């Protein structure tokens, strides 16, 4: 990999001075980690360390024990992991300082470093340096952030696949195909000039490479929706008439007595929510006010808010009170408003006291009280949420909207190239389409980049990453 820093390009962070940041939350934890990186950062830290010689002579990937000192005063007892360029996350000399946790210790160490000319790192600055020093490409940088924000184990696992370079490799292999076909076109154009043969007379050289690239890009493109589902999750809203057992179902799924349950219809007013994981899918689950015509002002407001939330839902769990018998669900019913626009799962609740009708086809029988029918509910929810996205891919897959947009651009450039060839255009007129696709894919890995792209990307990172 190449070093992307140069004389003019110091990056949009302004300078390449040694930086420091607290990489862990400032909270009552056992330890805090202060991360440091930069050319001559070890030399800069040595004067405020109790064993300067040990630190200065420490080999890369070793740990030194001592005290952080401020004007000779002991600030905290620490362990410093020393990294020597280029063998570090950023590719620069760097240190991870493990100090005591809590609000005060990490802050005091950081303040001491700042007195000794370390600059506070900005969001994403460590990863930016890693990218600029050729340690990671952009897909891996994005994967680092994905892991930090993963909401489920499946989401984390998918991000780890990208961190290990599966997507980067696939993109590079596809780009190698495009490069081959571009090289073959160049060759044809050179020869046609020499021989006086027109480029139109020839079949498009490297067409099979373009077709393979297109096929592989289509496979990648199809992975995005499932990755997005397992990364961002889905909004699942429990709705139904008062007293149907919505809050009981909410508590059952959350495994927590969160919502108030009572036999009085109209108990839930403001909707409440919580995150759960269903077969690896992060689900933002919401319990809402029972839907009915009401004259009570507060209840009415609650019902309006419930409808507002239903508009945003990815899946509605329409809960019926089985003990009230099978309802007539016709077009005029207030629940049917969303039936044609989004998936609705109808739950026959209270199956412990009311047996569902024989021909219950599309109902899902459940007792929110005993938990009977819960496994089948999980399976049905997963089936409905993944109906359009499919299961997550085994290996290379897209992890961000940025990547998806660039794949779409590359796809249409290649489709245009083949269509142009089919309509008889010569190879020299088709080559620019291939260059466009090549550059879009290069933007995914960061081989093609500019300050704006990088700033948008890295500024979304957290401090210390
Ligand atoms: N037997 C039985 N009773 C249930 C079941 N689920 C809920 N209930 C009872 O039904 C009543 C209403 O339950 P809630 O969970 O508060 O119902 P809700 O749909 O949230 O009601 P609102 O908030 O008023 O709209 C309570 O007395 C629950 O104990 C069930 O599966 N079986
Ligand atoms: Mg309720």
């Amino acid at each position: 990999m190449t070093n992307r820093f140069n004389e003019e390009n110091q990056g949009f962070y302004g300078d390449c001075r040694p930086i420091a940041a607290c990489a862990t939350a400032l909270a009552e934890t056992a330890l805090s980690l202060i991360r440091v990186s930069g050319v001559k950062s070890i030399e800069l830290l040595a004067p405020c360390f109790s064993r300067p010689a040990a630190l200065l002579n420490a080999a890369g990937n070793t740990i030194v024990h001592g005290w952080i000192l401020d004007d000779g005063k002991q600030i905290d007892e620490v362990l410093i992991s020393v990294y020597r360029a280029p063998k570090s996350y950023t590719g620069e000399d760097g240190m991870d300082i493990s100090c005591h946790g809590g609000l005060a210790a990490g802050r005091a160490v950081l303040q001491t470093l700042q007195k000794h000319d370390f600059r506070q790192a900005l969001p994403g600055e460590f990863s930016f340096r890693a990218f600029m020093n050729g340690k990671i490409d952009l897909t891996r940088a994005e994967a680092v952030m994905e892991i930090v924000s993963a909401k489920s184990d499946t989401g984390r696992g998918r991000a780890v696949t990208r961190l290990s370079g599966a997507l980067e490799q696939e993109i590079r292999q596809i780009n190698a195909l495009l490069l081959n076909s571009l090289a073959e076109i160049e060759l044809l154009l050179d020869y046609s000039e020499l021989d006086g043969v027109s480029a139109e007379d020839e079949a498009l050289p490297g067409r099979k490479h373009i077709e393979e690239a297109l096929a592989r890009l289509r496979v990648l493109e199809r992975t995005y929706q499932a990755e997005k589902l397992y990364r961002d999750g889905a909004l699942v809203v429990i709705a139904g008439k008062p007293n149907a057992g919505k809050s009981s179902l909410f508590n059952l799924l959350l495994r927590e007595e969160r919502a108030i349950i009572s036999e009085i219809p109209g108990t839930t007013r403001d909707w409440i929510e919580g995150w759960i994981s269903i077969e690896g899918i992060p689900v933002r689950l919401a319990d809402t006010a029972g839907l009915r015509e009401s004259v009570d002002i507060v209840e009415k407001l609650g019902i309006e808010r419930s409808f507002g939330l239903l508009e945003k839902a990815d899946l509605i769990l329409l809960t019926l009170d089985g003990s009230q018998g099978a309802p007539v669900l016709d077009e005029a019913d207030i629940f049917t408003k969303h039936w044609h626009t989004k998936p609705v799962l109808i739950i026959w609740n209270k199956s412990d006291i009311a047996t569902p009708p024989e021909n219950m086809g599309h109902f899902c029988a459940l007792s929110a009280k005993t938990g009977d029918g819960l496994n089948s509910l999980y399976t049905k929810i997963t089936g409905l949420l993944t109906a359009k996205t499919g299961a997550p891919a085994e290996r290379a897959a897209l992890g961000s909207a940025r990547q998806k947009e660039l794949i779409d651009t590359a796809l249409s450039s290649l489709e245009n190239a083949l269509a142009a060839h089919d309509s008889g255009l010569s190879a020299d007129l088709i080559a620019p389409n291939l260059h466009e696709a090549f550059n879009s894919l290069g933007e995914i890995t960061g081989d093609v980049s500019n300050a704006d792209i990088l700033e948008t990307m890295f500024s979304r990172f957290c401090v210390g990453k």
Side-chain angles (χ1 to χ4, degrees):
M1 283 205 175
T2 46
N3 188 325
R4 298 175 172 101
F5 277 120
N6 57 43
E7 297 250 314
E8 296 96 64
N9 185 6
Q10 299 294 299
F12 49 84
Y13 288 100
D15 60 53
C16 291
R17 281 162 54 199
I19 47 172
C22 189
T24 46
L26 282 173
E28 273 190 43
T29 50
L31 296 173
S32 286
L33 192 90
I34 308 291
R35 196 172 208 191
V36 171
S37 179
V39 177
K40 299 253 179 265
S41 55
I42 299 171
E43 287 78 356
L44 201 57
L45 186 73
C48 53
F49 189 58
S50 59
R51 299 171 57 215
L55 191 62
L56 289 168
N57 296 326
N61 300 335
T62 59
I63 296 175
V64 186
H65 167 259
W67 289 79
I68 295 291
L69 306 176
D70 186 8
D71 283 338
K73 203 168 78 213
Q74 290 179 327
I75 299 295
D76 198 11
E77 188 180 17
V78 299
L79 288 176
I80 302 184
S81 309
V82 178
Y83 307 102
R84 298 274 178 189
K87 290 188 174 173
S88 68
Y89 177 66
T90 58
E92 302 171 331
D93 280 357
M95 287 159 288
D96 283 347
I97 307 173
S98 299
C99 62
H100 288 96
L103 293 170
R107 201 174 279 157
V109 170
L110 202 53
Q111 276 167 1
T112 308
L113 298 192
Q114 281 164 359
K115 273 197 205 165
H116 284 78
D117 273 347
F118 282 92
R119 173 164 66 71
Q120 166 67 44
L122 295 165
E125 197 166 3
F126 291 92
S127 299
F128 173 74
R129 290 188 177 189
F131 168 72
M132 293 299 274
N133 288 321
K135 297 290 288 188
I136 51 173
D137 79 314
L138 288 188
T139 67
R140 293 186 205 229
E142 283 177 303
V144 168
M145 230 20 241
E146 271 190 77
I147 292 172
V148 174
S149 58
K151 294 185 188 70
S152 78
D153 201 46
T154 312
R156 178 204 55 76
R158 300 303 307 139
V160 164
T161 309
R162 274 182 283 284
L163 182 66
S164 70
L167 177 60
E168 180 192 2
Q169 275 162 25
E170 179 63 4
I171 297 289
R172 289 193 193 283
Q173 284 173 16
I174 296 173
N175 248 354
L177 289 168
L178 297 182
L179 211 54
N180 277 342
S181 77
L182 276 166
E184 286 179 36
I185 289 176
E186 293 294 328
L187 204 64
L188 168 86
L189 295 177
D190 289 351
Y191 275 111
S192 30
E193 266 169 33
L194 288 177
D195 305 346
V197 186
S198 146
E200 286 108 286
D201 301 340
E202 304 290 329
L204 183 63
R207 181 169 172 131
K208 67 173 191 317
H209 294 314
I210 302 172
E211 281 168 353
E212 188 189 334
L214 197 58
R216 286 168 75 164
L217 284 177
R218 286 193 179 123
V219 171
L220 267 187
E221 192 271 335
R222 282 196 294 270
T223 62
Y224 182 61
Q225 289 308 325
E227 296 294 303
K228 188 168 176 296
L229 174 66
Y230 283 85
R231 186 194 62 208
D232 299 342
L235 174 62
V236 175
V237 179
I238 305 175
K241 288 191 175 164
N243 228 33
K246 300 179 296 300
S247 300
S248 306
L249 172 60
F250 180 76
N251 288 350
L252 177 73
L253 292 172
L254 227 64
R255 298 169 201 266
E256 190 182 319
E257 292 305 311
R258 175 86 67 85
I260 298 172
I261 295 170
S262 89
E263 69 289 347
I264 306 163
T267 300
T268 306
R269 301 294 178 92
D270 282 345
W271 56 266
I272 54 171
E273 64 172 35
W275 279 95
I276 56 170
S277 170
I278 297 184
E279 296 184 8
I281 304 172
V283 167
R284 186 181 148 208
L285 184 72
D287 175 28
T288 60
L291 303 173
R292 65 171 168 184
E293 301 295 339
S294 170
V295 287
D296 181 305
I297 293 183
V298 180
E299 189 178 0
K300 253 178 128 159
L301 286 173
I303 292 170
E304 266 171 39
R305 288 184 184 193
S306 301
F307 273 121
L309 195 66
L310 285 171
E311 298 282 347
K312 296 186 211 143
D314 297 302
L315 169 65
I316 298 171
L317 303 183
L318 174 52
T319 312
L320 307 176
D321 182 343
S323 67
Q324 300 296 307
V328 186
L329 296 166
D330 60 26
E331 288 293 322
D333 201 292
I334 49 174
F335 305 131
T336 56
K337 195 166 177 270
H338 296 283
W339 281 20
H340 302 297
T341 55
K342 52 186 65 177
V344 178
L345 180 60
I346 306 178
I347 297 169
W348 177 279
N349 189 32
K350 310 196 186 181
S351 63
D352 53 309
I353 51 167
T355 321
E358 288 284 304
N359 59 342
M360 51 164 283
H362 57 293
F363 292 170
C364 179
L366 179 87
S367 167
K369 197 169 202 168
T370 64
D372 248 23
L374 190 57
N375 283 341
S376 127
L377 179 66
Y378 283 142
T379 310
K380 285 198 168 127
I381 292 177
T382 309
L384 285 167
L385 289 178
T386 56
K388 287 212 188 90
T389 67
E394 289 293 315
R395 42 184 301 278
L398 302 180
S400 72
R402 185 190 79 89
Q403 295 162 3
K404 166 77 163 66
E405 272 169 33
L406 290 164
I407 291 284
D408 285 343
T409 314
L411 268 172
S412 51
S413 304
L414 292 189
E415 277 157 2
N416 290 344
L418 291 184
H421 178 239
D422 291 340
S423 68
L425 277 190
S426 62
D428 53 338
L429 296 174
I430 292 166
N433 283 322
L434 300 184
H435 276 292
E436 263 169 35
F438 185 80
N439 284 339
S440 299
L441 296 181
E443 260 189 59
I444 294 180
T445 54
D447 290 348
V448 175
S449 68
N450 63 45
D452 287 344
I453 298 173
L454 297 178
E455 183 164 7
T456 322
M457 227 196 84
F458 286 100
S459 56
R460 286 186 288 116
F461 280 47
C462 43
V463 174
K465 246 300 151 220

